[in-house]
Amino acid sequence: MPDTPTAPTPDVDAPEDFLPIKDTDYVEFYVGNAKQAAHYCAQLFGFQIRGYRGPETGTKDTVHYLLEQNDIRFVLTASLRPDSPISTHVHRHGDGVKDIALTVGDATQSFEETTRRGATPVQEPTVHEDENGILVTSSISTYGDTIHTFVERDEYDGLFFPGFEPWSIDDWAAPPTTGLQYVDHCVGNVHEGDMETYVEYYAQTMGFYNMLHFTDQDISTEYSALMSKVMANGDEKIKFPINEPAEGKKKSQIEEYLEYYQGAGVQHIALATDDIITTVRTLRRRGVDFLQIPDSYYDREVLRDRVGSIEESIDDLEELSILVDRDPDGYLLQIFTQPVQDRPTVFFEIIQREGARTFGTGNFKALFEAIEREQARRGNL
Ligand code: FE2
């Protein structure tokens, strides 16, 4: 395996940030059945169903469930009609991520600054208003059919968006949360040769910088390879790794994704926890399916040589198939779920950072071999 790359520090002389981003506002999924998807996220992952918007609240042809867990907000959206962009999206991609929305101070300015620099406009600045105040949104596109919505919500006091009402069912005991705290990063898969295009896109239109770069030498197994560049905003709160497949003996996991998603899209959303052992134990008990890691990964001597001493017990990590890696700033613990819909496309990562700013380079090989075993089971390797 390669040496762990050092994450560069953002350039202190960088020009003034023209797109100050406060946070990930929400991640919106377009799904075939939002009601069932909402309960899947609630029962298995511990999200709380907070809001609902649909025919009963005055939205005629679509339904939207708002789910929250600490600082993570998911919106699950479905169409009630066949002839809508949502249905077309689901027909083509299966359930998937449509929108990685970003909280900004000024959605109008964000739209103007990014589109002036070449971002593809999706929605002009739009004001949404109800008795709880004013909210402004605008959107630009990124890879595939994925978009970024800029959300300005300083003047809004409501639940989430106009039209959403608190969701409640009498006597429903919502399952407890599982300790998931915030969105750590969102990874996109793009076609071979397109990685550089989107690296440029994020640099040029959003002022992101290339925090890390992995070549196919860094990320390869006996059978397949991929390349990845991580784009981040100035304070690294928003991190978007972008993967593209590289030449290999067999079909890479990225190619499998691109085939089943019918194009570029979000591969995984990494959700952070402060206590990965408790979180993963709970998730497993609830029925979340994770990638299985071979026992050899937990060879105590090899692991100690690679990551040094860590707080957590290796026995616990081995029992739960949690991976560990170290970089110059600290270490991290991570684990990957199986795809969360029928197609082998989107999945979640659970991550605990103990100082580390990178993404688990030392685990890439073990991880990709685990994915390839699953690909082989699906007949796609
Ligand atoms: Fe990740």
Side-chain angles (χ1 to χ4, degrees), residues 185 187 268 270 334 336 349 359:
H185 59 272
V187 181
H268 74 266
Q334 61 186 169
F336 299 83
E349 170 182 349
F359 297 84

Side-chain angles (χ1 to χ4, degrees), residues 342-356:
D342 302 318
R343 298 192 200 190
T345 53
V346 188
F347 58 87
F348 293 127
E349 170 182 349
I350 313 297
I351 184 167
Q352 179 182 336
R353 291 189 182 276
E354 293 299 329

Side-chain angles (χ1 to χ4, degrees), residues 15-31:
E16 203 193 332
D17 188 1
F18 61 85
L19 182 65
I21 297 172
K22 296 180 180 177
D23 216 337
T24 304
D25 199 88
Y26 61 85
V27 178
E28 181 175 25
F29 297 76
Y30 278 2
V31 298

Side-chain angles (χ1 to χ4, degrees), residues 90-155:
V90 172
H91 179 74
R92 174 152 190 214
H93 302 297
D95 290 2
V97 174
K98 175 64 187 177
D99 190 356
I100 300 167
L102 305 166
T103 320
V104 296
D106 186 335
T108 306
Q109 194 195 345
S110 301
F111 183 81
E112 281 163 5
E113 295 285 357
T114 51
T115 53
R116 190 160 63 81
R117 289 171 168 83
T120 311
V122 171
Q123 183 217 78
E124 300 261 335
T126 307
V127 177
H128 314 260
E129 195 170 0
D130 68 10
E131 67 278 11
N132 298 303
I134 287 177
L135 204 139
V136 186
T137 62
S138 61
S139 307
I140 59 167
S141 74
T142 178
Y143 44 76
D145 289 329
T146 318
I147 66 169
H148 292 302
T149 294
F150 300 118
V151 184
E152 172 189 334
R153 53 169 71 255
D154 294 339
E155 304 294 316

